[in-house]
């Protein structure tokens, strides 16, 4: 059993097999040569893992973000943010952070934020005198907030894997997401003041109003999504579908930027991206079932109880593990591979699965832009046309800031749980 | 030279496969838009007319399941599956080629195994005429997506494997068979 569910998947993972195949091969070996269960369970679990209404939120949120990202939404959000931050030294950098955070409240796909916000903000920051390395580092790092701020696609996947409520996870992600945005903004302001970068404009109501008018339609999407979910009007899946219809309406009829051909192209790209995720969700569900039937989680819990590992030490160990894994594996695969193994331990240590979900998101968010293989680094390199060395140099302070935030979020559970309590207690 | 630019049977099959993948993507795109509007109609119906479309949720889930398994076939064809390819990309070309061949063999074997189990299950629920709870749609329509997905993934692995084994592609095909670059990976 150790060979089927441990050695085979690890070896296949290391030699670059697709994640779904890694899981499916391990299960197939176990079912054929080790276990004595009806083979119909194979189909039942593959099918049953994705036969869930809640998972519909994945393609719908991706589609809404895909539509909003194809037009001028990023520029409009920048105009809105600039109305507030133009009066602060380093305001352009703060606008980058704020725009990525707002975009995250629409899209939930991190690389989309790096590409969309980066295309608008990188040239502007260059013109304002920010060094290339700093601008590239900031843009690469801010996109990671998008998987912490709701609606986050990895949170939906974690919710399915850990059997945790997605609205509770979303509520828990708000304060940690804003904390990271705040830390990044403070650093940007400090950096700009120390180097005397950028010009300061006076804060006027007319500027704020102009920015609001430009960004109002774009800001409608997060209002619908978050207002709908926490106002008790929609489920997350319905909120995502309504956001899609809103995005089609705004981009086609209000901004007049997309045609039906673009709408269909965005739907095609969404369907393929969704398939990349769901085939792993399906196989991970099957893998998780095989682990459970073979009492692997129970054995892990027994080991944990025997070793008397305290909760803080467990969280530290998991943070190191997730940071390491996040450097090599995308967040969705990491969540699906590790959640079934970690959740029984989390429950045994009486750690909230909502809090743990947020800790997991922050760890994997760091992996998205951590050198040398963070996917957002390559997205920034390809979209902004910057050398990798420049991005690597610029990213270091932001990795450190995220690590500070990770420590706070890990060891002050109230930062995550306060948001959840606000909406659910 | 990529396989689809070659003359001969394999080249024709590659071109047909690329066209079929595009058709499948378009079908899934239309289905996704349909699902979105179905969901939206249910929300509007619930609040404005105190009614919903009977079985709308079930149709949406069926679309999701087909998106997962038919979409996975398109993803297989385009070699866009999520994977951890950091180590293998750093290896010499010869080793990458061996890994690519091993991947095709394992894909073929596992897909055939899953498809054979899946078809047995689908035949069973077809015979007993199992139907969905609300709309009464035959459930084999959704279940057969698993079978179709793995049969087609097996076919793709067989096609690519034969191209590699019979030397149609040589070194160039080993590169074709290598995992995609990081920027081609999906973006979370």
């Amino acid at each position: 059993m150790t060979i089927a569910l441990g050695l085979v998947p690890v070896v296949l993972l290391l030699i670059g097999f697709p994640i779904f195949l890694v899981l499916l091969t391990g299960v197939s070996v176990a079912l054929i040569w080790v276990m004595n269960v009806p083979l119909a369970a194979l189909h039942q679990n593959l099918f049953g893992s994705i036969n869930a209404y809640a998972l519909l939120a994945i393609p719908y949120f991706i589609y809404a973000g895909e539509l909003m990202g194809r037009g001028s939404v990023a520029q409009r959000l920048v105009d809105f943010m600039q109305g507030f931050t133009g009066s602060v030294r380093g305001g352009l950098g703060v606008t980058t952070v704020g725009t990525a955070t707002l975009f995250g409240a629409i899209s939930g796909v991190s690389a989309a934020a790096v590409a969309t916000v980066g295309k608008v903000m990188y040239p502007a920051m260059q013109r304002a005198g920010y060094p290339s390395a700093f601008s590239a580092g900031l843009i690469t790092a801010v996109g990671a907030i998008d998987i912490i701020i709701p609606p986050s696609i990895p949170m939906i996947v974690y919710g399915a894997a850990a059997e945790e409520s997605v609205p509770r996870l979303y509520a828990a992600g708000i304060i940690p997401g804003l904390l990271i945005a705040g830390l990044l903004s403070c650093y940007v302001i400090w950096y700009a003041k120390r180097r005397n970068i950028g010009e300061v404009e006076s804060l006027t109501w007319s500027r704020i109003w102009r920015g609001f008018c430009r960004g109002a339609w774009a800001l409608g999407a997060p209002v619908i999504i978050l207002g709908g979910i926490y106002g008790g009007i929609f489920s997350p899946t319905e909120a995502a579908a309504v956001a899609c219809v809103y995005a089609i309406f705004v981009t086609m009829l209000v901004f007049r930027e997309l045609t039906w051909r673009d709408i269909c192209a965005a739907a095609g790209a969404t369907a393929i991206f969704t398939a990349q995720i769901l085939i792993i969700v399906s196989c991970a569900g099957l893998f998780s079932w095989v682990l459970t039937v073979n009492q692997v989680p129970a054995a892990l819990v027994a080991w944990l109880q025997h070793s008397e590992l305290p909760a803080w030490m467990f969280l530290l160990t998991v943070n190191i593990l997730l940071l390491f894994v996040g450097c090599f594996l995308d967040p969705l695969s990491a969540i699906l591979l590790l959640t079934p193994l970690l959740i029984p331990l989390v429950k045994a240590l009486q750690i909230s699965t909502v809090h743990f979900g947020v800790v997991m998101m922050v760890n994997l968010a760091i992996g998205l832009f951590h050198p040398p293989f963070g996917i957002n680094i390559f997205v920034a390199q390809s979209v902004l046309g910057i050398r990798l060395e420049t991005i690597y140099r610029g990213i270091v302070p932001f990795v450190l800031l995220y690590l500070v935030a990770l420590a706070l979020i890990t060891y002050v559970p109230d930062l995550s749980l306060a948001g959840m309590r606000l909406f659910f207690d | 030279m990529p396989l689809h630019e070659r003359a001969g049977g394999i080249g024709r099959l590659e071109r047909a496969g690329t066209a079929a993948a595009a058709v499948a993507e378009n079908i899934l795109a239309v289905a996704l838009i349909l699902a979105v509007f179905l969901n939206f109609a249910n929300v509007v119906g619930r609040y404005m007319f105190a009614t919903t479309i009977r079985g709308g949720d079930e149709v949406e889930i069926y679309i999701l399941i087909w998106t997962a398994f038919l979409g996975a076939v398109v993803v297989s064809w385009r070699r866009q599956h999520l994977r951890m390819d950091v180590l293998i990309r750093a290896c010499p070309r010869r080793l990458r080629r061996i890994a690519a061949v091993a991947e095709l063999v394992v894909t073929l074997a596992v897909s055939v195994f899953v498809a054979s189990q899946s078809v047995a299950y689908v035949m069973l629920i077809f015979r007993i005429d199992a139907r969905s709870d609300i709309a009464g749609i035959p459930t084999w329509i959704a279940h057969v997506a698993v079978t179709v997905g793995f049969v087609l993934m097996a076919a793709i692995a067989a096609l690519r494997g034969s191209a590699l084994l019979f030397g149609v592609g040589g070194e160039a095909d080993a590169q074709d068979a290598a995992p995609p670059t990081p920027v081609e990976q999906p973006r979370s």
Side-chain angles (χ1 to χ4, degrees):
Chain A
M1 187 53 66
T2 311
I3 292 173
L5 299 179
L7 192 65
V8 168
V10 169
V11 170
L12 297 187
L13 188 72
L14 290 177
I15 58 174
F17 275 36
I19 310 287
F20 90 94
L21 192 59
V22 166
L23 297 165
L24 207 49
T25 308
V27 169
S28 300
V29 170
L31 285 176
I32 295 170
W33 284 294
V34 186
M35 294 170 69
N36 186 21
V37 291
L39 291 177
L42 180 75
H43 175 99
Q44 282 175 332
N45 280 285
L46 278 175
F47 183 87
S49 304
I50 55 168
N51 183 17
Y53 182 74
L55 290 178
L56 278 163
I58 294 176
Y60 294 172
F61 275 130
I62 295 172
Y63 189 38
E66 184 81 29
L67 289 167
M68 294 297 256
R70 286 185 181 223
S72 62
V73 168
Q75 183 62 57
R76 289 166 189 273
L77 292 176
V78 166
D79 294 343
F80 169 74
M81 283 303 301
Q82 196 64 13
F84 292 97
T85 60
S87 61
V88 182
R89 184 157 305 276
L92 210 55
V94 179
T95 298
T96 304
V97 176
T99 307
T101 309
L102 280 174
F103 196 80
I106 298 171
S107 153
V109 181
S110 175
V114 173
T116 314
V117 177
K119 270 188 273 190
V120 178
M121 291 311 296
Y122 184 72
M125 288 181 76
Q126 292 294 97
R127 283 195 299 274
Y130 288 85
S132 288
F134 179 85
S135 312
L138 177 65
I139 286 164
T140 309
V142 287
I145 296 176
D146 289 26
I147 70 164
I148 304 164
I149 289 272
S152 150
I153 304 300
M155 271 192 189
I156 301 174
V157 174
Y158 172 82
E163 294 179 1
E164 185 51 80
S165 146
V166 174
R168 286 158 71 94
L169 286 165
Y170 278 3
I174 295 172
I175 295 175
L178 294 178
L179 170 77
I180 293 171
L183 278 175
L184 295 179
S185 300
C186 290
Y187 174 69
V188 167
I189 292 169
W190 174 80
Y191 183 90
K193 277 189 174 164
R194 203 172 63 126
R195 299 203 172 200
N196 202 24
I197 298 172
E199 290 173 10
V200 178
E201 298 159 347
S202 56
L203 183 70
T204 61
W205 283 111
S206 65
R207 267 179 67 88
I208 293 174
W209 179 246
R210 273 204 309 276
F212 178 77
C213 290
R214 278 275 295 162
W217 282 105
L219 289 167
V223 170
I224 286 174
I225 293 166
L226 299 181
I229 293 172
Y230 297 112
I233 303 165
F234 313 129
S235 68
T237 304
E238 289 172 341
V242 174
C244 290
V245 175
Y246 178 81
I248 291 172
F249 171 75
V250 169
T251 51
M252 270 188 81
L253 301 177
V254 180
F255 298 162
R256 295 181 183 278
E257 289 167 340
L258 300 191
T259 61
W260 271 112
R261 187 178 288 271
D262 300 318
I263 302 289
C264 287
T270 301
I272 299 308
F273 187 14
T274 303
Q276 286 173 315
I277 299 168
L278 287 186
I279 189 70
I280 304 176
V281 173
S282 174
C283 296
L286 174 66
F287 192 79
S288 176
W289 174 78
V290 172
L291 287 179
T292 309
V293 167
N294 287 286
Q295 299 186 322
V296 175
L300 284 173
V301 171
W303 167 81
L304 185 74
Q305 282 163 346
H306 179 72
S307 64
E308 294 178 353
L309 196 68
W312 71 268
M313 181 69 93
F314 169 77
L315 285 170
L316 181 66
T317 312
V318 167
N319 277 345
I320 293 167
L321 170 76
L322 289 173
L323 284 172
F324 178 76
V325 168
C327 290
F328 301 98
L329 212 55
D330 71 286
L332 299 170
S333 306
I335 291 165
L336 289 165
L337 285 173
L338 294 174
T339 304
L341 292 171
L342 292 175
I343 283 298
L345 306 180
V346 168
K347 286 180 177 167
L349 288 166
Q350 297 182 324
I351 299 168
S352 158
T353 48
V354 171
H355 171 225
F356 184 74
V358 176
V359 171
M360 203 167 190
M361 293 310 130
V362 178
N363 272 295
L364 298 175
I366 295 170
L368 281 172
F369 67 93
H370 193 293
F373 302 117
I375 189 76
N376 286 1
I377 294 174
F378 299 103
V379 174
Q381 183 203 18
S382 128
V383 171
L384 309 177
I386 318 167
R387 287 158 56 91
L388 268 182
E389 296 79 17
T390 311
I391 303 176
Y392 285 159
R393 259 189 296 123
I395 210 101
V396 176
F398 298 104
V399 173
L400 296 176
L401 285 170
Y402 267 77
L403 289 176
V404 170
L406 173 63
L408 286 171
I409 291 161
T410 303
Y411 292 112
V412 187
D414 281 343
L415 283 174
S416 313
L417 300 178
M420 187 190 77
R421 288 190 199 112
L422 182 70
F423 292 105
F424 292 97
D425 281 354
Chain B
M1 186 191 295
L3 284 176
H4 66 272
E5 289 176 14
R6 292 172 194 284
I10 296 278
R12 273 197 297 276
L13 274 174
E14 281 282 334
R15 282 192 294 277
T18 303
V23 170
E25 183 178 342
N26 287 336
I27 291 170
L28 293 176
V30 173
L32 176 67
I33 294 171
L34 176 75
V36 164
F37 279 98
L38 201 53
N39 195 300
F40 181 71
N42 266 340
V43 173
V44 173
R46 190 174 67 226
Y47 282 109
M48 298 188 69
F49 308 106
T51 184
T52 54
I53 298 165
R54 191 175 155 82
D57 293 355
E58 288 171 349
V59 173
E60 285 178 66
I61 293 172
Y62 280 21
I63 289 172
L64 181 79
I65 289 164
W66 271 97
T67 301
F69 290 102
L70 186 58
V73 176
V74 179
V75 173
S76 291
W77 182 259
R78 295 175 184 170
R79 298 189 179 96
Q80 289 176 331
H81 278 296
L82 287 167
R83 62 177 88 221
M84 192 192 83
D85 55 357
V86 175
L87 290 177
I88 197 69
R89 276 194 286 115
C91 290
R93 178 174 287 189
R94 192 177 172 78
L95 213 59
R96 288 209 307 269
R97 189 183 170 94
I98 292 169
V101 172
E103 184 185 318
L104 289 173
V105 171
V106 173
T107 306
L108 181 61
V110 170
S111 299
V112 167
F113 172 63
V114 175
S116 64
Q117 298 309 318
S118 175
V119 78
Y121 191 88
V122 172
M123 294 294 280
L124 176 72
I125 58 170
F126 180 77
R127 274 201 302 273
I128 62 173
D129 194 25
R131 286 174 181 268
S132 65
D133 294 336
I134 301 167
I137 304 167
T139 53
W140 67 265
I141 293 173
H143 281 272
V144 80
V146 182
T147 320
V148 170
F150 281 98
V151 164
L152 292 177
M153 280 194 266
I156 291 170
L159 173 69
R160 297 242 159 95
S162 57
L164 275 176
L165 281 176
F166 298 119
V168 176
E171 285 295 302
D173 289 339
Q175 276 193 318
D176 288 347
T181 59
V183 196
E184 288 172 302
Q185 296 269 12
R187 295 149 181 195
S188 313

